[in-house]
Amino acid sequence: MPSGDEVSGPPEETPDPAPGREPRTQDAAGEPEDGTGEPGGDGASADTPAPRSRLRTRIAVGVSLLLILSLVVTLTVPAGRDSLRSLWCGLTGGVCPAEDLPPITEDEETDWRTRMGPEEAALWGNYVALGDSYSSGDGAGDYAPETAAAGGCWRSANAYAHLIDDEFDFAGSLAFYACSSHRGKEMVDELGTPDSQIERVTEHTSLVTLGIGGNDLGFIPVLRTCIVRMPLLESSVCTEQEEDVDKRMRHFEETLATVIAEIRDRAPDARVLVLGYPRLFPEEPPGMYYTLTTKDQLWLNGVAERFNERIRDVAYRADGDVYGSRQTGSVEYVNTFSALTGHEVSAEDAWLNGIVLGRFGEGLKVDRATFHPTAQGQMSIAERVRLQILEGPERVLYVSRETLERVDESLLHTELGGPLDPAHPPSDAPSESPREEDPVNEADG
């Protein structure tokens, strides 16, 4: 017996559809559907899209709107800007800004800064060239007479700073103060004195080039130890210096960060270009170079490469702080490591000075200009600097609108040399004394 809720008897037959009509179906809710997908509809005509096609179209439109909304959120909500931050970190070799990236706003063009292209951001003021012997042009000949003496700065007319000054039309002038044997530590210690390179940087400096660190690392003494050794073929005397070299590298990072901060404090609108050092030996040395084995040469190349990486990272961190806090100016790294490729010290057409031989019986003498770029080498380094000026960093550049409105030719000329320039000292300022020769570091660059 069926229960009270059940109905006995045969199932009802569904009548056949009318000729020319598709049989109706039921949707999940039990409602009848026809070709329109609507209850009780009359069916789709030949020109009307199929119901599922319509549904797919509506879904696609909805997804597109959601994607657009997500993009807007990414650009406006700080929590959604991780992708932009990751992009910046990737562009800067994995070194991220210390602060979050500045928000993108509609008033970028009306704030206190003026957006400028790379070249114009470098040329609106004076150009100040700082650094050691690789920047002074020691080894390139044609020296300024007052600098060409024992303990002097050995500033060459062939140095890359002069080539850059000739290449570009600066609104101001070149202030060339790079000095042979100089160290980053000296730059910091000499602050506030007429001998200071950093004090040459002034508010209306638009470009600073800085090549420093080789003497802090003690690269020439390291080379001297590698080359002038007893016995001459002792295999470990060169590479066993690695621990001391790495220690000096780590210490220099803090020094360089201080130097950059002091430069930016004096010229907050300037583009500061920090140069690395070129590779001295071929990527694959063909054999011995004097007493340097192939292993020695590869180790020395590796030291230069690791040192450049540290210099680069300090520069990138400094620029991350500048960009992340919406400041003006920039700090940029110039890669010169491969600038002498094919013309390293052992090449027939070398763009580096080789080892200077002493008189008979004196053996090898590692002179001041040994392993320093020739005039042609300086030209190759200048090309790297030139390209950086033209291409700029991987971000936009800003200069203070107030600075640009104030600058003029007379002001730029007045600022040349800085406030402690001994050529124009105040009545109560001491005159500059000549640099004393340091016999221990006479061969430093």
Side-chain angles (χ1 to χ4, degrees):
M1 288 285 297
S3 66
D5 294 333
E6 294 178 342
V7 179
S8 60
E12 295 182 358
E13 294 186 4
T14 303
D16 291 334
R21 297 284 299 275
E22 293 291 332
R24 288 189 175 187
T25 61
Q26 287 186 334
D27 62 10
E31 294 292 332
E33 292 183 354
D34 58 17
T36 66
E38 298 292 337
D42 293 328
S45 67
D47 296 331
T48 305
R52 295 193 181 278
S53 176
R54 281 184 175 180
L55 182 60
R56 285 196 296 269
T57 300
R58 291 171 182 170
I59 292 174
V61 171
V63 171
S64 299
L65 291 174
L66 286 174
L67 288 174
I68 292 171
L69 179 61
S70 299
L71 178 60
V72 171
V73 171
T74 299
L75 293 176
T76 57
V77 179
R81 290 174 56 79
D82 289 342
S83 58
L84 292 181
R85 184 179 177 87
S86 299
L87 174 61
W88 171 256
C89 297
L91 290 173
T92 57
V95 181
C96 301
E99 305 292 339
D100 288 337
L101 292 177
I104 298 172
T105 64
E106 294 181 356
D107 63 346
E108 285 286 338
E109 299 301 326
T110 60
D111 66 11
W112 62 279
R113 307 170 303 169
T114 296
R115 181 171 177 172
M116 304 186 80
E119 186 173 355
E120 62 178 345
L123 304 183
W124 58 264
N126 287 324
Y127 166 28
V128 181
L130 311 177
D132 58 21
S133 54
Y134 271 68
S135 294
S136 74
D138 197 351
D142 198 4
Y143 305 108
E146 66 275 14
T147 70
C153 288
W154 298 91
R155 296 189 185 112
S156 170
N158 298 315
Y160 68 79
H162 280 297
L163 301 178
I164 292 299
D165 184 45
D166 292 341
E167 174 77 16
F168 293 99
D169 186 17
F170 288 91
S173 303
L174 167 65
F176 184 26
Y177 291 101
C179 190
S180 185
S181 299
H182 225 69
R183 294 174 171 81
K185 185 178 184 301
E186 280 181 279
M187 284 187 158
V188 176
D189 292 344
E190 292 176 349
L191 285 169
T193 74
D195 290 327
S196 172
Q197 289 194 43
I198 295 176
E199 297 290 357
R200 313 295 186 170
V201 179
T202 58
E203 183 178 5
H204 297 95
T205 299
S206 59
L207 179 69
V208 177
T209 52
L210 173 67
I212 198 71
N215 297 319
D216 297 80
L217 185 65
F219 200 73
I220 294 298
V222 167
L223 273 168
R224 185 194 301 118
T225 301
C226 290
I227 295 169
V228 185
R229 54 191 178 185
M230 292 295 177
L232 290 179
L233 296 181
E234 170 58 47
S235 60
S236 63
V237 69
C238 191
T239 57
E240 69 185 9
Q241 302 177 85
E242 182 155 3
E243 184 176 347
D244 288 339
V245 167
D246 285 344
K247 182 178 179 180
R248 289 194 288 268
M249 281 188 193
R250 292 192 297 271
H251 184 71
F252 177 70
E253 288 190 53
E254 182 178 348
T255 300
L256 180 59
T258 301
V259 169
I260 291 172
E262 292 289 347
I263 290 172
R264 279 198 45 78
D265 185 56
R266 288 159 176 77
D269 293 298
R271 290 181 63 186
V272 181
L273 307 189
V274 184
L275 280 71
Y277 288 87
R279 187 179 62 228
L280 303 182
F281 302 96
E283 201 169 11
E284 297 181 2
M288 294 276 294
Y289 180 75
Y290 287 92
T291 61
L292 296 175
T293 65
T294 298
K295 180 181 177 181
D296 293 334
Q297 295 171 60
L298 291 174
W299 180 76
L300 290 165
N301 281 348
V303 167
E305 185 171 20
R306 295 199 309 275
F307 192 45
N308 282 340
E309 288 171 354
R310 289 179 180 270
I311 293 172
R312 177 203 64 193
D313 288 354
V314 172
Y316 281 171
R317 282 194 292 268
D319 194 61
D321 290 339
V322 171
Y323 185 60
S325 56
R326 296 174 61 85
Q327 299 175 43
T328 55
S330 65
V331 182
E332 306 167 38
Y333 174 68
V334 182
N335 184 357
T336 65
F337 187 64
S338 60
L340 308 179
T341 297
H343 301 276
E344 292 91 345
V345 69
S346 58
E348 183 176 347
D349 182 22
W351 292 350
L352 283 165
N353 292 285
I355 296 174
V356 177
L357 292 172
R359 291 175 296 184
F360 181 75
E362 292 183 351
L364 297 174
K365 176 185 177 185
V366 183
D367 184 73
R368 183 199 73 254
T370 295
F371 293 112
H372 282 66
T374 63
Q376 186 64 47
Q378 286 285 332
M379 188 178 299
S380 182
I381 293 172
E383 176 62 15
R384 299 297 178 95
V385 177
R386 185 185 73 85
L387 290 175
Q388 187 67 36
I389 291 173
L390 292 176
E391 296 174 0
E394 294 287 345
R395 66 173 182 84
V396 295
L397 292 165
Y398 295 96
V399 176
S400 164
R401 180 173 287 104
E402 181 181 353
T403 298
L404 294 175
E405 291 173 351
R406 184 171 57 245
V407 72
D408 59 35
E409 185 177 351
S410 175
L411 178 62
L412 294 175
H413 179 74
T414 301
E415 285 191 356
L416 271 179
L420 302 180
D421 184 2
H424 306 91
S427 57
D428 58 344
S431 59
E432 181 180 24
S433 57
R435 290 172 54 86
E436 294 182 1
E437 183 176 352
D438 182 356
V440 176
N441 300 302
E442 181 180 357
D444 288 0

